[in-house]
Amino acid sequence: LLDPDAVCRQAEAHFRRGRVPLNAAEGFIRQIVGWREFVRELYRVNMPGYDDSNRLEADLPLPGLYWHGQTRMNCMAEAVVPVIHHGLNHHIQRLMVTGNFGLLAGVRPQALNEWYWLAYIDAWHWVVTPNVIGMATFADGGLMASKPYAGSANYINKMSNYCKHCPYDPKQMLGEKACPFNALYWDFLARNKGLLSRNPRMALSYKNLDRKTRDELSDIRKKADVVRLASVNDAL
């Protein structure tokens, strides 16, 4: 609802008067001009139709845990419950927890986009749609982001303390105690190899995927299918 030019000029004026340091003013202006306006123009130029994008052909229904937060996956519960109570959580919880799970599990982008739009108090369609369709789910095929924001349990374990209080083990790939993110991550890479393996930013991931044997990949695929089924049956 605010004019970006006016907001940025006020930030600059406060810096010149010595009221805020340079790094604060510059960071704020970059966020508005370099990110907010980029997202806004991406939406404006590509709508209508951008919100229907589904380049990875993801078709899993939105798991109920996005609405009620009842799951043994501690990271997902910790990310969803604040949304239920306050309509808000922070950026990493959006992108690398709830968004990452939706991407890896193959949740239909439009269903995930609708959840973000309805569940968050700060959601506007032009803000939410590029961030979900473009960044979180890579449903636009790379129009917004140069690579999918896909991460295994290793990433979540490094970036948070969620795994310390979770019954799932972030270091296990298979078995009842294995973190669902692990099988989903490698299965995601395998399912989308034809589209993503030529991406230079995905080279290391696919190099590691290629080290896995046929039997290992078969077990991973089976585990990922079990996780997806459990997610839509509220059994995770």
Side-chain angles (χ1 to χ4, degrees), residues 68-201:
H68 52 63
Q70 297 174 14
T71 172
R72 288 175 293 167
M73 297 178 66
N74 190 48
C75 60
M76 286 293 287
E78 289 289 334
V80 171
V81 170
V83 182
I84 295 172
H85 292 307
H86 307 294
L88 202 66
N89 61 11
H90 64 70
H91 172 70
I92 295 300
Q93 289 174 314
R94 301 186 196 205
L95 178 62
M96 293 309 301
V97 180
T98 57
N100 186 28
F101 184 85
L103 169 69
L104 299 182
V107 174
R108 190 169 65 87
Q110 288 66 39
L112 193 63
N113 192 37
E114 182 180 33
W115 176 74
Y116 278 99
W117 187 18
L118 295 174
Y120 284 84
I121 197 171
D122 63 347
W124 290 82
H125 198 261
W126 70 263
V127 177
V128 170
T129 298
N131 279 282
V132 176
I133 299 296
M135 181 171 286
T137 65
F138 206 69
D140 65 1
L143 185 62
M144 181 181 190
S146 59
K147 67 177 288 291
Y149 279 83
S152 66
N154 182 52
Y155 174 88
I156 295 174
N157 193 27
K158 286 183 177 179
M159 298 296 290
S160 73
N161 62 356
Y162 294 141
C163 299
K164 294 179 181 179
H165 309 287
C166 184
Y168 292 113
D169 187 343
K171 295 182 180 180
Q172 288 191 32
M173 177 81 67
L174 304 172
E176 292 184 4
K177 292 186 177 180
C179 177
F181 273 99
N182 288 331
L184 289 178
Y185 174 75
W186 293 108
D187 178 63
F188 168 80
L189 293 180
R191 282 188 290 114
N192 296 288
K193 187 173 183 178
L195 178 65
L196 301 177
S197 62
R198 298 176 186 174
N199 187 322
R201 295 189 65 196

Side-chain angles (χ1 to χ4, degrees), residues 4-74:
D5 183 66
V7 169
C8 291
R9 291 190 182 280
Q10 285 191 39
E12 179 188 8
H14 281 292
F15 159 70
R16 294 190 181 281
R17 292 169 188 160
R19 295 176 179 172
V20 296
L22 175 61
N23 60 342
E26 180 183 3
F28 178 83
I29 292 171
R30 283 178 179 269
Q31 188 69 16
I32 299 297
V33 176
W35 182 247
R36 179 188 185 276
E37 290 305 289
F38 164 67
V39 171
R40 180 170 173 266
E41 286 303 298
L42 182 75
Y43 179 88
R44 186 185 67 82
V45 170
N46 293 286
M47 284 291 284
Y50 182 77
D51 52 352
D52 292 325
S53 302
N54 191 0
R55 185 66 177 83
L56 302 182
E57 299 182 351
D59 59 1
L60 190 76
L62 184 74
L65 64 89
Y66 280 88
W67 292 111
H68 52 63
Q70 297 174 14
T71 172
R72 288 175 293 167
M73 297 178 66
N74 190 48

